[in-house]
Amino acid sequence: MPNIAVLDMAGKEVGSVELSDAIFGIEPNTVVMHQMVVNYLANNRQGTQSALTRTEVSGGGRKPWKQKGTGHARQGSTRAPQWTHGGVVFAPKPRSYRFTVNKKVKRLAMKSAFSSKLKDSQLVVVDAVKLDEYKTKTIAAMLNAIGADKKALIVLPEVDAKVISSARNIPGVKTAQVNTLNVYDIMNADKLVIVKDAISKIEEVYA
């Protein structure tokens, strides 16, 4: 089992914790991680783009000139795509980009993401993150002390309004609970900061 140091909010080592081989010690599968990232981004697309086809543009009901004898090319409407103010060919319409991924693929992707972060030394375990008041400066100081002062994802064992609100003001920093984690956020962060109590919950969910 991989062993990792546990730090306090000041960046001092206060112990260590053993991580599950089944979650943090597998060979990362980049194919399924990529698939889950594409799935996350696709599911977030609004798909609300829209343009008018030739049947939806106002006007153009009358034939602009007679079919033969004018010297012009034959035309049936001034709202055909080749005309100025005409409709759009294959105009985009509101649609959903959502697609589903197999549950086993999701689990493998999450395990691969966790293992990848540990393998690349981008995983930090913190003993606890506790605030007596809403204080962004305290969270910023903690991240700086543990070497996660750039893009960081803080994984909490449960919802903590003070920590979530305090971290929200720091550019590049996100918070999540075990049940809201996704591969995109994990891989997008330079450092994955996990509170010690959340590790047991992660191992319980993904074991």
Side-chain angles (χ1 to χ4, degrees), residues 62-145:
R62 181 173 62 86
K63 189 174 174 68
W65 50 73
K66 64 180 184 177
Q67 180 82 345
K68 304 172 77 67
T70 64
H72 290 299
R74 55 196 175 186
Q75 301 291 337
S77 169
T78 57
R79 295 299 180 263
Q82 73 271 20
W83 283 75
T84 302
H85 307 304
V88 177
V89 183
F90 307 129
K93 290 297 175 186
R95 55 164 287 194
S96 172
Y97 290 89
R98 295 186 68 85
F99 67 93
T100 56
V101 177
N102 187 297
K103 189 181 290 185
K104 289 183 178 178
V105 173
K106 288 182 181 178
R107 295 176 71 86
L108 178 58
M110 288 296 291
K111 292 177 182 180
S112 295
F114 288 128
S115 297
S116 175
K117 285 298 178 186
L118 181 63
K119 187 177 180 181
D120 296 338
S121 301
Q122 295 178 346
L123 176 64
V124 180
V125 177
V126 179
D127 184 36
V129 180
K130 293 181 179 178
L131 297 179
D132 296 326
E133 57 182 334
Y134 293 89
K135 201 75 173 176
T136 299
K137 190 181 290 185
T138 305
I139 297 294
M142 179 198 76
L143 294 174
N144 191 50

Side-chain angles (χ1 to χ4, degrees), residues 138-170:
T138 305
I139 297 294
M142 179 198 76
L143 294 174
N144 191 50
I146 63 177
D149 52 339
K150 293 183 181 178
K151 285 201 293 185
L153 175 64
I154 304 172
V155 183
L156 303 170
E158 55 194 21
V159 175
D160 188 326
K162 290 178 181 176
V163 174
I164 294 171
S165 296
S166 298
R168 188 183 298 151
N169 296 328
I170 307 173

